[in-house]
Amino acid sequence: MKLDALLSFANEISDIIANEIVPRTDIIMVVLLIICGLYYSFLTRFVQFRMLSSVFRILTEKNKQHSKEYISPFEALMISTASRVGIGNIAGISLALTTGGAGALFWMWVMAFFGGASAFAESTLAQIYKSKDDTGGFKGGPAYYIKKALGSHFFGSFFAFILIITYAYGFNGLQSQTMTSSFKVYYDMLNPDASVSFSSSFWPVVIGVILTAFGSWMFFSHHTKIGKVSSLIVPFMALAYVLLAVIAVLMNLDKIPLVVKVILESAFDFKAMFGGFAGSALVIGIKRGLFSNEAGMGSAPNAAAAALTSHPAKQGVIQAFSVFIDVIICTSSGFLVLFSMAYLGLNETKIEGGMPLIQETMREYYGSFGIHFITIAIVLFAITSLIGNYYYAQANVKYLTNSKLVMNLFRITAVAMIFIGSQMNLKLAWNLADLTMAFMAITNIVSLLLLGGIVNKVLKDFNIQQKAGLDPKFNASKLGIKNAECWD
């Protein structure tokens, strides 16, 4: 009875957070995201598009100082992309389309269009104000530039704390739970008349143990291994998924006018938008855009700061590009759903949004191969997201303390959360993560809006050197930037 009472209390708290608190913080967050994206897009003269031609050259350039202690710009890109490109890009997009309507995809595109500038700003700032790590590499992120540039250790610590809670425990628990539940379709196929449900069988425990073992290996290894594993898995995973989406669209070219019509009608359904603003395509699309591309949230800068590069703006450009990689993946998921009969006949079936819908969609296009592929994709998406999320959290543990004991305790609890997540329905954890993520994003966006002058100064320095035919080199003291000890 005590356990039932505890679960009931947890559900009540979860409902209050989800229905009363989160909608209010979401609206504040959405407004600030729009303001930040517009501000930096015009301040930097749309750097997210203007400097895309420099991406490949920056990614492939060699640095004479490169060693096992540092991660390369490409590895930093893969770590941030690993976190951005997760299960949310598959099941999350499907759920957004069923709850907010097809127009949510349009507003995701709008969010990314301007969000790339926010991603440039936060990652450039992370590079400027990074610090030396005790392993010989670099560490940094919003907590560091809030402290060094704005002089607020309190808000830097506040940001670090809520990021750890959000990523290491909230998001990683959910990645584990969703990945484990994706195997339910096989259990149901093999045991159609089973008296024991999938969640009550021993299979979630087996899957949880395997995933936890992998997490232990990664979390207790050297941080550069995280970048190397991500750089191997992420490109393959993304390309294969996008290819199948393109094939699915080519198979249904005749549906393009209908799909475009559905997207635009839903996106600009003002009656629905203002009748239920928090659940409208606009808000859900912008929220999903943030959850997915993380532009302005303050997570990707933690990876960007660790890269070895000659100028902060280089890593800013790379991270802006990462937003567009995420957009391609999200669009692929969106089109897979929108071009399917499973979505068009959703109201006439018992198929739910999220994972069941995307699985049925892939079955429709590719038969049993589609089911197998989406399972593999989900596993790879989950693994790389676990890696990226942990990397962000550990960078912020290092901000709060240099204690090896605290770091090892954090690693143990982060590993434990993977197993716990694989066994539980984390409704409360998801709602708490929603809430802490909103506070995290709001804290970061406010700091970004206060630091526009520094970002603009650094970008102008980069452009001047680039126009002179030089490989841009950064010197903080020449630009009058203080507390940037790695650049003096």
Side-chain angles (χ1 to χ4, degrees):
M1 291 298 292
K2 289 183 179 180
L3 180 59
D4 290 340
L6 183 62
L7 290 173
S8 177
F9 176 73
N11 286 331
E12 287 179 13
I13 295 296
S14 179
D15 290 339
I16 291 171
I17 293 172
N19 300 323
E20 302 295 332
I21 303 175
V22 170
R24 292 180 174 87
T25 56
D26 279 350
I27 292 172
I28 296 171
M29 181 180 67
V30 165
V31 171
L32 286 175
L33 278 170
I34 294 170
I35 292 172
C36 189
L38 288 169
Y39 171 66
Y40 273 106
S41 290
F42 287 102
L43 180 70
T44 63
R45 294 181 293 123
F46 289 87
V47 65
Q48 65 268 44
F49 303 108
R50 186 165 56 85
M51 294 181 62
L52 273 179
S53 59
S54 302
V55 169
F56 183 75
R57 179 179 53 77
I58 296 171
L59 284 175
T60 55
E61 67 182 16
K62 299 293 182 181
N63 196 308
K64 294 179 181 179
Q65 301 179 54
H66 190 69
S67 72
K68 69 175 184 178
E69 303 301 330
Y70 301 109
I71 65 173
S72 68
F74 178 73
E75 288 167 352
L77 170 65
M78 290 301 102
I79 291 172
S80 60
T81 304
S83 180
R84 285 186 171 110
V85 179
I87 288 174
N89 296 74
I90 301 179
I93 298 303
S94 168
L95 189 61
L97 295 176
T98 53
T99 54
L105 188 62
F106 175 85
W107 293 112
M108 283 181 228
W109 294 333
V110 173
M111 185 70 237
F113 183 90
F114 294 105
S118 301
F120 170 85
E122 62 184 357
S123 293
T124 298
L125 286 168
Q127 268 286 326
I128 296 169
Y129 294 104
K130 65 186 179 182
S131 298
K132 272 285 186 180
D133 197 348
D134 54 7
T135 61
F138 298 115
K139 59 183 179 179
Y144 294 81
Y145 59 70
I146 289 171
K147 177 184 177 181
K148 292 182 179 183
L150 296 176
S152 178
H153 180 62
F154 172 79
F155 281 107
S157 299
F158 173 73
F159 179 90
F161 178 74
I162 57 176
L163 185 144
I164 293 166
I165 297 298
T166 303
Y167 278 84
Y169 305 113
F171 286 176
N172 267 2
L174 291 162
Q175 292 286 342
S176 177
Q177 193 272 337
T178 308
M179 194 206 82
T180 303
S181 66
S182 70
F183 286 91
K184 180 179 181 296
V185 64
Y186 292 102
Y187 183 82
D188 292 342
M189 288 166 61
L190 296 172
N191 303 278
D193 301 316
S195 58
V196 178
S197 66
F198 174 76
S199 59
S200 300
S201 70
F202 68 91
W203 285 111
V205 175
V206 173
I207 297 168
V209 168
I210 295 171
L211 195 57
T212 302
F214 175 82
S216 300
W217 174 60
M218 289 304 305
F219 294 0
F220 282 90
S221 63
H222 192 277
H223 71 281
T224 56
K225 188 177 290 184
I226 293 174
K228 288 176 172 51
V229 170
S230 296
S231 67
L232 290 173
I233 295 177
V234 172
F236 165 77
M237 173 187 68
L239 287 172
Y241 189 67
V242 171
L243 178 62
L244 284 187
V246 170
I247 292 172
V249 172
L250 291 176
M251 290 164 58
N252 294 274
L253 285 175
D254 59 310
K255 293 181 182 175
I256 288 179
L258 174 62
V259 169
V260 171
K261 180 183 177 183
V262 169
I263 291 174
L264 294 179
E265 284 182 349
S266 175
F268 296 98
D269 185 348
F270 293 106
K271 183 178 179 180
M273 189 181 298
F274 294 107
F277 187 70
S280 67
L282 185 148
V283 173
I284 289 178
I286 291 177
K287 273 182 61 179
R288 177 48 55 192
L290 173 65
F291 295 167
S292 184
N293 64 52
E294 300 182 8
M297 192 192 296
S299 50
N302 295 278
L308 179 65
T309 187
S310 65
H311 199 287
K314 287 185 177 181
Q315 198 58 37
V317 171
I318 295 302
Q319 295 303 323
F321 175 66
S322 182
V323 172
F324 293 108
I325 295 176
D326 178 83
V327 169
I328 292 171
I329 303 294
C330 286
T331 301
S332 298
S333 292
F335 281 173
L336 279 169
V337 170
L338 292 175
F339 278 85
S340 70
M341 292 304 297
Y343 178 80
L344 294 175
L346 199 60
N347 293 331
E348 301 170 7
T349 68
K350 295 182 179 180
I351 300 172
E352 299 177 358
M355 195 65 69
L357 177 56
I358 200 72
Q359 286 177 324
E360 182 59 32
T361 293
M362 290 300 287
R363 189 203 302 269
E364 179 184 323
Y365 292 129
Y366 301 108
S368 59
F369 168 77
I371 293 290
H372 301 324
F373 175 85
I374 205 67
T375 302
I376 293 171
I378 288 164
V379 170
L380 292 177
F381 274 58
I383 286 173
T384 53
S385 288
L386 288 173
I387 293 170
N389 292 346
Y390 166 77
Y391 189 92
Y392 293 160
Q394 74 155 0
N396 284 272
V397 172
K398 289 179 180 179
Y399 172 85
L400 294 173
T401 178
N402 290 320
S403 169
K404 290 184 178 179
L405 174 62
V406 172
M407 178 58 75
N408 285 329
L409 286 173
F410 161 70
R411 286 170 175 153
I412 291 169
T413 57
V415 169
M417 193 62 204
I418 294 176
F419 182 78
I420 292 169
S422 68
Q423 307 304 306
M424 296 177 64
N425 184 342
L426 298 180
K427 181 182 178 183
L428 177 59
W430 180 236
N431 288 329
L432 284 172
D434 261 356
L435 183 62
T436 55
M437 187 197 67
F439 281 119
M440 190 175 83
I442 291 168
T443 304
N444 184 54
I445 293 167
V446 170
S447 68
L448 288 179
L449 293 172
L450 294 172
L451 295 171
I454 293 175
V455 174
N456 196 36
K457 186 186 294 185
V458 173
L459 178 57
K460 284 182 177 179
D461 176 67
F462 180 83
N463 289 149
I464 289 170
Q465 293 188 55
Q466 197 177 44
K467 286 179 181 178
L470 304 172
D471 178 21
K473 301 288 191 296
F474 184 66
N475 187 308
S477 57
K478 284 186 178 180
L479 296 180
I481 297 175
K482 300 177 180 179
N483 300 323
E485 65 271 14
C486 290
W487 296 101
D488 290 329

